[in-house]
Amino acid sequence: MNVLRGNQGPRYRHAPEASAPYDSITVDRLTPIIGAEIGGVDLSEPLGNRARDEIQRALAEHLVIFFRDQDITPAQHLAFGRLFGELHVHPAAPHAPGEPELMIIHADANSPRANGEGWHTDVSCDEAPPMGSILHIRTCPPTGGDTLFASMYAAYEALSDRMKAYLEGLTAIHDGEPVYRGTYANLGAADKPVYPRAEHPVVRTHPVTGRRALYVNRGFTTRIVGIPADESEAILGYLYEHAENPLFQCRFRWRANSIAFWDNRCVQHRAMWDYWPQTRSGHRVTVQGERPL
Ligand code: SIN
């Protein structure tokens, strides 16, 4: 993999040192690139502004953050999500009864599929895709069911300067139709007449950190605009393979009542469905984002 520049070390940057000490939470990195476990907070209690701001800062610095032993109710989960913005309603997936913003994540012995099995960014087919996703897993299989997360900052930074120049200014189509049509029929969710489709920059600038991130994913991106179809296919194939380099990843092992909060603007993720016929179950609350720049 061409991620090294001579003998000067990796082209991609490590997550920055904390810009200031954390007072109200603890932050324990999983890797130098992505992921940190947060301690010292009980999300079943109302969160003060300082803890909220520090969690937001930890998310910006580490891209995906994890909480353990959070025995929260759906109402507390929704309230936690609302601290970070308006909540997003999934265009296709089933939700808890009467709670459109509480998406069900569930797989068991009868499931023909599980959520998020391929690398993707949540609902990138929306004009304004979700900023972040907050997944609370209540029931875990005895082993398996991990989620992998990958830094799209690192993926972008590790590209060659020539590839960066080539991608500059390109946009790509992200289409929900092939992903969602019929996907949730087994769970009783009727198909919508149309699903979202949007055109986004291939490289986006994060509105908080100012860092550039690769923004194409196997799940939703169908083609790069303005180049021949075969060239688009080849470039996307290269970018997907590049973005899936384990150097850019962390892997989270769930326990009952763990939470993962990831930033969809700079992270892709993939859920492992390696635990059939066991059950894995929880809810996802998704925070609305902005149009990618
Ligand atoms: C998803 O939100 O894509 C599902 C992730 C997971 O179940 O780990």
Side-chain angles (χ1 to χ4, degrees), residues 105 115-116 120 122 135 137 146-147 254 262 269 271 280 284:
I105 301 284
N115 284 87
H120 68 289
D122 288 329
L135 178 59
I137 292 291
D146 296 356
T147 309
W254 295 89
W262 61 89
H269 61 285
R280 178 177 181 274
R284 193 180 92 193

Side-chain angles (χ1 to χ4, degrees), residues 3-200:
V3 294
L4 300 179
R5 180 184 283 148
N7 53 12
Q8 291 168 22
R11 299 172 62 93
Y12 54 89
R13 284 181 282 161
H14 287 179
E17 288 306 317
S19 52
Y22 289 96
D23 291 333
S24 57
I25 59 172
T26 61
V27 177
D28 188 16
R29 284 172 182 234
L30 261 75
T31 80
I33 310 294
I34 179 171
E37 191 163 319
I38 306 299
V41 277
D42 177 355
L43 300 180
S44 68
E45 301 286 338
L47 215 56
N49 286 344
R50 172 174 287 194
R52 195 270 322 268
D53 291 351
E54 290 196 346
I55 287 171
Q56 209 155 22
R57 179 154 66 86
L59 183 67
E61 289 176 352
H62 300 286
L63 293 58
V64 54
I65 52 179
F66 307 104
F67 303 81
R68 296 288 192 189
D69 305 319
Q70 301 292 335
D71 188 6
I72 56 170
T73 63
Q76 288 163 343
H77 190 177
L78 288 162
F80 180 59
R82 287 195 183 100
L83 293 176
F84 303 97
E86 273 180 44
L87 298 186
H88 171 271
V89 175
H90 196 279
H95 55 76
E99 298 286 4
E101 294 151 333
L102 199 64
M103 178 178 163
I104 295 171
I105 301 284
H106 181 93
D108 62 26
N110 299 314
S111 301
R113 53 177 295 280
N115 284 87
E117 283 179 78
W119 282 104
H120 68 289
T121 308
D122 288 329
V123 202
S124 68
C125 53
D126 268 3
E127 287 286 337
M131 171 283 261
S133 302
I134 305 169
L135 178 59
H136 179 226
I137 292 291
R138 188 170 282 286
T139 305
C140 283
T143 54
D146 296 356
T147 309
L148 281 65
F149 297 90
S151 166
M152 293 301 107
Y153 293 144
Y156 174 71
E157 288 161 7
L159 292 170
S160 70
D161 291 340
R162 282 196 181 261
M163 180 55 81
K164 286 179 185 152
Y166 175 84
L167 298 178
E168 193 65 39
L170 288 178
T171 58
I173 302 297
H174 296 236
D175 195 352
E177 179 70 30
V179 182
Y180 295 139
R181 187 152 304 281
T183 296
Y184 298 102
N186 67 301
L187 298 172
D191 266 321
K192 302 269 170 52
V194 286
Y195 287 111
R197 184 174 188 272
E199 185 172 335
H200 297 308

Side-chain angles (χ1 to χ4, degrees), residues 224-241:
I224 297 177
V225 177
I227 60 173
D230 57 346
E231 185 173 327
S232 164
E233 199 177 320
I235 294 290
L236 286 175
Y238 167 73
L239 293 175
Y240 297 154
E241 201 177 310

Side-chain angles (χ1 to χ4, degrees), residues 121 130-131 204 206-208 213-215 263-267 290:
T121 308
M131 171 283 261
R204 71 181 291 185
H206 194 287
V208 175
L214 194 60
Y215 197 67
D263 186 333
N264 284 300
R265 300 168 295 189
C266 53
V267 169
E290 59 287 289

